[in-house]
């Protein structure tokens, strides 16, 4: 069964600096998707970034980028120029390939709480 | 554009009472729909998913059930709530893209 592990329960970063959140996963599949979601205090889950396993190029969305190492099954999130609004819980998620039913279920890690210090 | 609604936003119920949480999606058709539960300070656990009207798959055996009476409506129910049912319930939808989009959630407290 696929698993997702986030080994850092809490992280902190100074405003305007860079922080990297770690995520590892386990799967026997070769084609899948990986995501980072942000959950602010409002608790609504917000999609931050998506990575397709078949793409070697790391995904980037403005200040957010990933370091995708497929062989190592590692998927870290880098936040550059951190802002106070980045403070939230961040979840790494793996999407099952889905098969014929194409359900595409998400498997989540336990989350990393990011604190941004002014 | 697509939007997803959940209600109620918060709910306090006594043990043994029934439950009905509703999720509706606008701006899309035939979405995949999902119910997740999040315990305090923890990750999300998939409870149910649906690929179409009347089609429900359960991920975790429990006293909860789900129904999809209409294409864009997903309901989470229980006949008798337990203390362990307390948590934050999130509904999500997926269209033709691989990512899921989440609703605002319902905070359920069972006393």
């Amino acid at each position: 069964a696929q698993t997702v592990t986030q080994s850092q329960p809490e992280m902190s970063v100074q405003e305007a600096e860079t922080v990297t959140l770690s995520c590892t996963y386990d799967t026997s599949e070769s084609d899948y998707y990986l995501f980072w979601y942000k959950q602010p205090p409002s608790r609504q889950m917000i999609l931050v970034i998506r990575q397709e396993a078949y793409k070697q190029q790391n995904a980037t969305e403005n200040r957010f980028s990933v370091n995708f190492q497929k062989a190592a099954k590692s998927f870290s999130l880098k936040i550059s120029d951190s802002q106070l609004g980045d403070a939230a819980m961040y979840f790494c998620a793996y999407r099952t390939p889905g098969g014929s039913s194409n359900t595409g279920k998400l498997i989540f890690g336990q989350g990393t709480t990011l604190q941004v210090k002014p | 554009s697509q939007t997803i609604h959940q209600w109620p936003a918060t709910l306090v119920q006594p043990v043994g009472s029934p439950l009905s949480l509703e999720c509706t999606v606008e701006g899309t058709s035939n979405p995949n729909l999902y119910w997740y539960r999040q315990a305090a300070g923890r990750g999300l656990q998939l409870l149910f998913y649906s690929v179409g009207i009347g089609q429900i798959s359960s991920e975790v055996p429990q006293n909860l059930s789900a129904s999809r009476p209409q294409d864009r409506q997903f309901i989470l129910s229980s006949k008798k709530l337990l203390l362990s049912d307390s948590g934050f319930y999130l509904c999500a939808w997926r269209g033709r893209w691989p990512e899921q989009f989440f609703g605002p959630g319902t905070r359920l407290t069972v006393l």
Side-chain angles (χ1 to χ4, degrees), chain A residues 20-40:
Chain A
T20 298
L21 308 183
S22 301
C23 173
T24 58
Y25 58 95
D26 187 26
T27 183
S28 58
E29 303 288 343
S30 60
D31 189 20
Y32 48 86
Y33 294 89
L34 295 165
F35 306 91
W36 278 98
Y37 281 88
K38 170 185 177 182
Q39 189 178 39

Side-chain angles (χ1 to χ4, degrees), chain A residues 39-114:
Chain A
Q39 189 178 39
S42 67
R43 299 194 74 176
Q44 179 158 10
M45 297 286 283
I46 302 167
L47 177 67
V48 175
I49 201 164
R50 174 184 85 186
Q51 176 76 45
E52 293 90 342
Y54 61 85
K55 289 187 177 180
Q56 292 185 337
Q57 186 174 6
N58 289 322
T60 299
E61 289 288 341
N62 300 315
R63 299 182 294 107
F64 298 86
S65 61
V66 299
N67 183 5
F68 174 49
Q69 301 290 327
K70 191 173 184 179
K73 296 180 183 176
S74 171
F75 182 59
S76 60
L77 175 70
K78 185 173 81 171
I79 306 175
S80 304
D81 185 26
S82 297
Q83 301 175 359
L84 295 177
D86 294 334
M89 197 161 189
Y90 287 82
F91 290 94
C92 178
Y94 165 96
R95 182 200 142 169
T96 59
S100 59
S101 64
N102 198 24
T103 57
K105 295 177 285 184
L106 288 178
I107 299 170
F108 286 88
Q110 290 301 301
T112 297
T113 299
L114 177 65

Side-chain angles (χ1 to χ4, degrees), chain B residues 14-47:
Chain B
V15 170
S17 64
L19 173 74
S20 181
L21 303 182
E22 189 167 343
C23 169
T24 58
V25 182
E26 297 177 354
T28 187
S29 59
N30 197 31
N32 283 6
L33 296 173
Y34 307 84
W35 277 112
Y36 292 88
R37 176 168 60 198
Q38 184 180 29
R42 302 190 65 181
L44 277 68
Q45 178 188 39
L46 179 64
L47 301 175

Side-chain angles (χ1 to χ4, degrees), chain A residues 13-24:
Chain A
V13 63
Q14 206 70 34
E15 194 176 6
E17 295 190 345
T18 297
V19 65
T20 298
L21 308 183
S22 301
C23 173
T24 58

